[in-house]
Amino acid sequence: MTTTVENPLRRESRLERTPQPTTIVIFGATGDLTHRKLLPALYNLEMDHHLPSSFSVVGFARRDWSDDKFREEMRSGIEQFSRRPLDPAVWETFCQKLHFLSSEFESCEGYERLNKLLTEKEQEHGIGSNVIYYLATQPSYYPTIIERLGEAELGGRNRKTEQGYTRLIIEKPFGHDLESARELNEQLHRVFSENQIYRIDHYLGKETVQNILMFRFANGIFEPIWDRRYVDHIQITAAESIGVEGRGRYYEESGALRDMVQSHLLQLLNLVAMEPPVSFEANAVRDEKVKVLRAIRPIRGNAVAEQVVRGQYAGGWVHSDHLQAYREESNVNRDSATETYVALKLFIDNWRWQGVPFYMRTGKELTKRVTEIAIQFKQPPHMLFGSEVQGGLEPNVLALRIQPDEGISLKVLVKTPGTRTSLRPVKMEFLYGTSFGTEPPEAYERLLLDCLLGDSTLFTRSDEVEASWAFITDILDAWEQMPPPDFPNYESGTWGPREADRLLYRDGREWRWP
Ligand code: BG6
């Protein structure tokens, strides 16, 4: 007799469902995000026939643009940033779906015009009234836009429609500390219910990040060793070779801890550390993620100086190019105390991870661009091969490479050929590029399509965002009491401040050089 066991990863494939006719309203449509990411992503979805048959985009922003001007600007964004070249035939159809509404974000009259436009679209589409609002403005406008949507009865709680859905996508940064994140959640919940809100973290849309869950939970061999008994420590690196690239004004208010750790790095930590969810349904996955965040041991007071290292780039020469110091970038204070680098050590106080250190680091203007998670396993309990063995007894490392050169490698020791007993580490490697030969979609393509399909698995829930801010805010509070004494403290093009190396040396470990 055979028994069929329900596969927890099996669910309706997203593409078995087609999104319903929808209008996407992008607030801040004249900005960089729309130009570089959102429109190229929508254009690629159109190319792949993933968009609904009736679909339109309304760009809502302050500039006095016409529909034609909006289309022209979006075309140039797609030409520069789309992963595939613009196809004139596809563009001809697609551009007819783009419209522009010029208004101040505060102006009630603008929202009345929006309401009228949406009603027209509903009549055109012939069914319900599906609308997605995308907040792509500076975060300081979020409260005003949310409030105006509520007043104009365009939000979810009071929208006067029988059919259809209303969803809202909100970009990071979601607040700048725990209190402001809570406040923003409250403002949102006055107008929208939680299941209408899609807080975006583009890292979750990356193929390789999604693969962390598949890799862990679709293969039986890793889960039994994925805990404190076998894992020595975990390193998470998100290194960038570029600086702040004209975003000085934003970055001065943010810094690396808020910009990268609160969102992307903690998301990576969640996925690598979480327990298997009961199903692959949005809330089941998010329940497990939030448990990890709540189990992180807080880093407070003096522990901050011991466990967290911050840095700021000093400029320098990289491959005969002269790079500016952070303090020389435009819109940056000449004596800025903003960190462009963070390294930290944390512990997760739960059954699985008790005593296992997680080291995380991120920074701008480092040696190279690389994001990876490395799981370093413990050495064998008894070493059979003693002093007669030549070569290092390096531990096994499983490296999940998020970008670039996406793939997975496992470092193992093998005997080198010959009559002498000597060991050498070698890598067993899988590379996406060579194994699949296809280019993965951009993170924003995946996330926009998921929102169109009403799948919020890859979006952050309110309790999750608050739990991550609770951890980060303790560190921010401690930093406020002790300004950095040594900024700038690392040369551009290096792996960051020396102090970050000492963080690991003290524990008898060292950073990988991925
Ligand atoms: C953004 C940060 O969220 O992520 C940027 O604001 C950072 O500062 C970027 O450069 C990194 O994303 P990616 O996809 O290039 O790794």
Side-chain angles (χ1 to χ4, degrees), residues 37 171-172 201-203 206 238-240 242-244 247 250-251 254 259-260 263-264 364 369 371 403 443-444:
K37 298 286 183 192
E171 268 293 330
K172 76 177 261 282
D201 180 319
H202 80 276
Y203 258 55
K206 291 180 191 276
E240 295 185 89
I242 52 170
V244 292
R247 293 164 76 221
Y250 155 76
Y251 206 82
S254 159
D259 184 46
M260 291 292 289
S263 48
H264 310 325
K364 301 243 180 233
R369 173 175 183 252
T371 303
Q403 61 189 21
Y444 277 96

Side-chain angles (χ1 to χ4, degrees), residues 120-139:
E120 274 168 34
K121 292 286 151 210
E122 280 158 26
Q123 283 160 0
E124 212 175 281
H125 294 161
I127 71 135
S129 46
N130 300 320
V131 53
I132 296 176
Y133 301 112
Y134 199 121
L135 303 193
T137 60
Q138 279 172 34

Side-chain angles (χ1 to χ4, degrees), residues 480-497:
E480 221 175 277
Q481 305 306 315
M482 38 176 187
D486 56 349
F487 275 10
N489 60 353
Y490 71 94
E491 296 279 308
S492 299
T494 65
W495 276 104

